[in-house]
């Protein structure tokens, strides 16, 4: 990956597009936008004009090098100035939303190939990042979509990515959903979220509660990171499908070669 040392370290560390640390935002005061009141819902006029201009200037619209060429995304690529700059020069929170991580790619590919999995269903995309998986679910006929990422800038990027794919932006929740009362979902999907032991434990318990309380189906995308492969959640997983990653994604993820969709069945 042709990055400066700072960005290379950022890209190859365990994935963290849900936020630098969930613990750091539990009392952050980030706004909770209930259904129908999300400031990014609808047209791009809800976006802060300066931030919108910044994102458009410092990302590239691309559909190359991933498992889902059907989906266009604004991402950080070698054509972008900050790809080559020191990471500490990026003026906002770390842009984990600007990378299309392999677990999300696998989930998105699965939904596009198997639309019956989401058609007519309510779905929550947990740790949405760039929003690709939520977009794939909407493109495949999901009736209700909520994208959740604690980074408000990710919310803006998701809105721009919806518009790139001719979708009306869906609601975006920028608060730690693990701290909120659980809503009922037909499907919860999460990719690349098992990068930290404490977070993995919290997710495991929260997902079990979803399953046992509401009968929610849970699908997890992961390329086989040690924090996921070595976690006790492995005892409750059924492999759905495994994909071979495109070469650009392999290069950007320290040589990971495949990504798998897992069905969580506690």
């Amino acid at each position: 990956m042709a990055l400066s040392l700072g960005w290379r370290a950022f890209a190859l560390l365990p994935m963290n597009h849900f936020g630098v640390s969930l613990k750091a935002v539990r009392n952050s005061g980030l706004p909770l936008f209930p259904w129908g009141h999300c400031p990014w819902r609808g047209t791009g006029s809800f976006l802060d004009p300066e931030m919108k201009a910044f994102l458009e200037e410092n990302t590239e619209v691309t559909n190359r090098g991933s498992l889902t060429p059907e989906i266009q995304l604004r991402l950080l690529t070698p054509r972008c100035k900050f790809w080559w700059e020191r990471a500490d020069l990026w003026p906002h929170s770390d842009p984990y939303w600007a990378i299309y991580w392999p677990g999300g790619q696998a989930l998105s590919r699965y939904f596009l190939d198997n639309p019956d999995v989401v058609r007519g269903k309510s779905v929550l995309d947990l740790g949405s990042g760039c929003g690709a998986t939520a977009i794939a679910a909407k493109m495949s006929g999901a009736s209700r979509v909520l994208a959740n990422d604690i980074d408000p800038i990710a919310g803006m990027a998701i809105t721009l990515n919806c518009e790139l794919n001719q979708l009306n932006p869906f609601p975006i929740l920028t608060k730690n959903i693990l701290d909120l009362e659980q809503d009922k979902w037909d499907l919860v999907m999460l990719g690349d979220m098992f990068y930290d032991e404490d977070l993995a434990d919290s997710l495991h318990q929260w997902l079990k509660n979803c399953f046992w309380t509401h009968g929610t189906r849970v699908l997890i995308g992961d390329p086989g990171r040690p924090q996921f492969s070595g976690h006790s959640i492995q005892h409750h997983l059924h492999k759905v499908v495994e994909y071979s990653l495109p070469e650009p994604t392999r290069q950007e993820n320290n040589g990971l070669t495949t990504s798998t969709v897992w069905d969580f069945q506690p």
Side-chain angles (χ1 to χ4, degrees), residues 13-244:
L13 282 171
M15 310 314 171
N16 193 7
H17 65 268
F18 194 53
V20 174
S21 168
L22 284 178
K23 294 177 181 177
V25 297
R26 290 185 187 278
N27 298 307
S28 65
L30 288 172
L32 168 62
F33 303 112
W35 286 96
H37 294 85
C38 174
W40 299 304
R41 182 169 183 153
T43 68
S45 62
F46 288 103
L47 291 169
D48 175 77
E50 291 187 6
M51 181 56 68
K52 180 176 184 289
F54 178 85
L55 295 179
E56 290 176 340
E57 180 182 354
N58 291 288
T59 57
E60 180 189 9
V61 175
T62 181
N63 64 349
R64 300 186 302 272
S66 78
L67 288 170
T68 58
E70 301 95 323
I71 298 176
Q72 295 196 84
L73 300 168
R74 286 197 166 275
L75 301 175
L76 190 66
T77 76
R79 295 177 181 268
C80 303
K81 177 181 70 173
F82 281 101
W83 183 274
W84 306 102
E85 294 279 9
R86 298 199 321 272
D88 59 1
L89 294 180
W90 179 265
H92 304 288
S93 56
D94 288 339
Y96 299 103
W97 52 265
I99 305 294
Y100 191 9
W101 303 109
Q105 290 190 33
L107 285 166
S108 301
R109 182 73 266 157
Y110 179 64
F111 296 148
L112 293 174
D113 289 343
N114 302 274
D116 288 346
V117 173
V118 295
R119 184 179 292 124
K121 294 182 170 60
S122 60
V123 299
L124 167 65
D125 185 18
L126 181 60
S128 191
C130 66
T133 303
I135 288 169
K138 190 66 176 177
M139 291 171 68
S140 300
S143 61
R144 185 169 70 124
V145 175
L146 176 64
N148 173 225
D149 196 295
I150 60 170
D151 186 350
I153 299 176
M156 299 182 194
I158 291 169
T159 295
L160 293 177
N161 288 334
C162 285
E163 293 172 354
L164 282 175
N165 293 280
Q166 291 78 54
L167 297 175
N168 290 326
F170 34 72
I172 300 159
L173 171 68
T174 56
K175 194 166 185 176
N176 181 5
I177 202 168
L178 303 186
D179 286 342
L180 305 179
E181 182 177 350
Q182 287 185 337
D183 198 359
K184 185 180 188 305
W185 301 96
D186 296 320
L187 173 66
V188 171
M189 50 199 184
L190 59 161
D192 309 284
M193 287 290 288
F194 285 79
Y195 53 81
D196 173 85
E197 184 176 352
D198 289 341
L199 176 57
D201 291 343
S202 297
L203 284 169
H204 191 191
Q205 185 59 52
W206 193 87
L207 295 172
K208 283 195 293 186
N209 291 341
C210 281
F211 184 92
W212 290 114
T213 303
H214 300 298
T216 302
R217 187 181 187 189
V218 177
L219 293 176
I220 300 171
D222 194 272
R225 298 188 186 87
Q227 299 91 333
F228 181 67
S229 300
H231 195 271
S232 60
I233 197 172
Q234 290 291 321
H235 300 301
H236 305 135
L237 297 177
H238 169 72
K239 181 186 284 189
V240 178
V241 62
E242 184 175 7
Y243 297 100
S244 178

